[in-house]
Amino acid sequence: MLARKGYFTMGGMLSLVKFSIGLSVLVGASYCIRSYGRSHNQKYRIFLNSLEKLKGQSNIETRKEIKNYDFEFSWWPIDYEFNEDTVKANRYKQIAKHSWSKLVQSPCSIISYVVLHTFGIRLIYPGSIRALSFMMGSALNQGRSKLIETDNGERFKLKTSDGNYLDTMFIDKRLNSSIGKTLVICTEGNAGFYEYGIMVTPLEAGYSVLGWNHPGFAGSTGMPYPDQEQNGIDTVMQFAINKLGFLPDNIILFGWSIGGYATTWAAMNYPEVKAVILDATFDDLLPLAIPRMPAVLEPIVKLTIRQYANLDVARQLVHYPGPILLVRRANDEIICLEPNDLSTNRGNNLLVKLLRQRFPNLMVCMDAENALLRYLGASGRQQSTYTIVNILIKPNFESNIFEILFV
């Protein structure tokens, strides 16, 4: 277009240079005006003095003073840094990063790697798209302000083992009631932020709540690749235990949608936690990814997911021995393979895989697995008319893992 309009001639280039110089002067003048305004703003000068004071002395009083302000998270002081010495040795290993030798085994592996590390991970986690965070900036600021001003929340910056910084929010209810002595750690969905997410549910119920943003979401750095997700939730757990002072058996893990991956990884590595709640969570990412992509790309999709983004929630969940509550939404359009078809909801598969591991004899007898799937695939009105043996799974946090009732 520039060539057709003659901008690649000597006269055209001169016009582009003039335009660039004019734009640079305008931007520079804007920065100068902003700097002048801030230097004469009493509130901003107090904030700047507090920030400078924090660099020289990192005491508790100075930290409390600076946390009265909301500013660029990159300048936020680090409140907790992951310490490998505090971690138990008997843990499930992180997903190993693929070496270049494995990467070049086939052209498809290279294509899959490029796909995931360019647009693929952003399709899986839209919240990591910077444009989305920018557009939601005002709403996120308002949500964060409400959590701090209304709910007495405190913002923390955590440093993970791989050098990422996580934006977190903690609301302490331990002095309010006995239920506040239990901490609920909330992990949001693929486009969710703690500023406007599932924190409100346990908060209104009276629990202490710790929310965090995935790597690459809002103020958090990095990108939500599986290993960074694991390092992120690991740091959050260590922060809750070592810094906030909650014992693992007083922690409930609450994950929504794709947040179930990090939640179940934490449950697998911290099996002593009090309970796990999974809301609208799937069993495996691959069956959901294939129908949403062109059929011709299915081999690339399979290879990309399995090699670099294998979010196998069920495989992790079966390692957790404690109480679990699964929430399935009847009108969920995201984790259903077919819209409005309950039988294709991947939450059904998550439940079946869990019961298959915990109660293998039960799932074999009387063809219970098929009966359960038929029951789950029926609507509420259809379920009430069933004449075959139905299975009702009811969580019981106080006694057993599940109450299995035949109706």
Side-chain angles (χ1 to χ4, degrees):
M1 185 187 68
L2 292 174
R4 286 199 302 269
K5 290 182 177 294
Y7 280 103
F8 288 162
T9 63
M10 186 62 69
M13 292 298 291
L14 185 59
S15 299
L16 286 177
V17 169
K18 289 180 180 179
F19 175 78
S20 301
I21 293 174
L23 184 61
S24 300
V25 170
L26 181 61
V27 171
S30 301
Y31 274 103
C32 291
I33 294 171
R34 188 177 71 173
S35 300
Y36 178 81
R38 288 181 174 181
S39 65
H40 287 74
N41 186 303
Q42 186 64 24
K43 290 183 179 180
Y44 189 85
R45 288 167 64 182
I46 295 173
F47 155 71
L48 200 59
N49 289 335
S50 300
L51 188 62
E52 289 295 327
K53 194 190 304 181
L54 185 65
K55 295 178 182 178
Q57 49 180 357
S58 183
N59 55 51
I60 297 176
E61 294 301 322
T62 310
R63 282 178 176 269
K64 286 184 178 179
E65 187 179 338
I66 198 64
K67 287 189 176 183
N68 291 326
Y69 301 93
D70 195 300
F71 54 97
E72 283 291 334
F73 195 66
S74 58
W75 288 86
W76 199 268
I78 299 174
D79 298 289
Y80 181 81
E81 186 169 350
F82 181 84
N83 186 357
E84 194 69 39
D85 296 335
T86 62
V87 179
K88 293 181 180 179
N90 55 339
R91 295 160 61 78
Y92 291 91
K93 294 181 179 180
Q94 305 276 356
I95 293 178
K97 292 183 178 180
H98 294 268
S99 63
W100 285 106
S101 60
K102 291 182 179 180
L103 186 63
V104 298
Q105 284 179 355
S106 70
C108 289
S109 295
I110 299 176
I111 294 172
S112 298
Y113 183 88
V114 172
V115 165
L116 185 76
H117 289 78
T118 51
F119 63 88
I121 194 64
R122 292 168 177 83
L123 291 178
I124 299 172
Y125 288 91
S128 62
I129 300 174
R130 284 299 166 189
L132 179 62
S133 296
F134 177 77
M135 289 186 292
M136 294 186 63
S138 178
L140 295 178
N141 288 339
Q142 292 177 10
R144 193 161 52 244
S145 298
K146 180 182 179 298
L147 290 172
I148 294 173
E149 296 172 3
T150 306
D151 301 309
N152 297 318
E154 188 173 0
R155 197 180 187 188
F156 290 94
K157 184 177 184 177
L158 315 184
K159 185 177 181 181
T160 66
S161 58
D162 51 3
N164 286 333
Y165 297 102
L166 300 181
D167 187 359
T168 67
M169 180 68 67
F170 172 58
I171 299 172
D172 195 349
K173 296 282 188 178
R174 281 175 285 193
L175 298 179
N176 296 34
S177 64
S178 58
I179 198 173
K181 293 180 173 59
T182 298
L183 175 69
V184 179
I185 296 180
C186 299
T187 305
E188 302 294 338
N190 61 4
F193 306 86
Y194 73 70
E195 290 88 345
Y196 277 101
I198 58 175
M199 284 182 66
V200 65
T201 303
L203 190 59
E204 291 181 352
Y207 291 95
S208 294
V209 184
L210 175 60
W212 66 291
N213 282 332
H214 296 276
F217 282 49
S220 298
T221 63
M223 286 297 287
Y225 300 114
D227 58 329
Q228 295 188 34
E229 282 283 294
Q230 294 170 6
N231 290 329
I233 190 62
D234 204 7
T235 304
V236 170
M237 287 295 298
Q238 289 295 311
F239 170 70
I241 296 169
N242 299 324
K243 182 79 173 181
L244 300 181
F246 287 91
L247 296 175
D249 56 7
N250 276 332
I251 295 176
I252 294 176
L253 300 173
F254 182 16
W256 171 39
S257 188
I258 205 170
Y261 175 74
T263 297
T264 53
W265 189 91
M268 177 175 65
N269 285 283
Y270 296 87
E272 62 274 24
V273 296
K274 188 171 186 176
V276 172
I277 302 174
L278 297 175
D279 185 356
T281 299
F282 51 84
D283 62 322
D284 186 4
L285 178 63
L286 183 59
L288 291 171
I290 290 176
R292 288 165 172 78
M293 299 297 289
V296 69
L297 297 179
E298 183 173 332
I300 294 296
V301 172
K302 285 183 177 179
L303 189 61
T304 302
I305 296 295
R306 286 295 178 239
Q307 283 198 352
Y308 305 112
N310 192 24
L311 306 188
D312 194 342
V313 175
R315 180 181 60 83
Q316 297 180 154
L317 185 62
V318 298
H319 290 286
Y320 172 66
I324 299 170
L325 174 63
L326 301 180
V327 179
R328 187 189 68 165
R329 304 189 179 209
N331 295 323
D332 197 314
E333 297 179 351
I334 302 300
I335 65 170
C336 286
L337 300 183
E338 298 291 337
N340 301 319
D341 186 352
L342 281 173
S343 65
T344 66
N345 189 302
R346 297 305 297 189
N348 302 342
N349 304 78
L350 180 61
L351 174 61
V352 168
K353 291 178 180 179
L354 178 64
L355 295 179
R356 190 185 297 161
Q357 191 275 336
R358 290 196 175 186
F359 308 103
N361 295 331
L362 173 65
M363 297 306 288
V364 170
C365 70
M366 297 189 303
D367 197 22
E369 184 173 319
N370 290 334
L372 175 59
L373 286 173
R374 288 195 297 271
Y375 180 78
L376 293 172
S379 65
R381 195 172 289 178
Q382 290 174 322
Q383 288 175 353
S384 62
T385 61
Y386 260 46
T387 56
I388 65 170
V389 174
N390 295 327
I391 303 176
L392 176 64
I393 297 87
K394 179 182 177 183
N396 188 329
F397 287 173
E398 295 180 358
S399 58
N400 200 2
I401 300 168
F402 283 101
E403 291 179 358
I404 307 297
L405 305 176
F406 290 92
V407 182

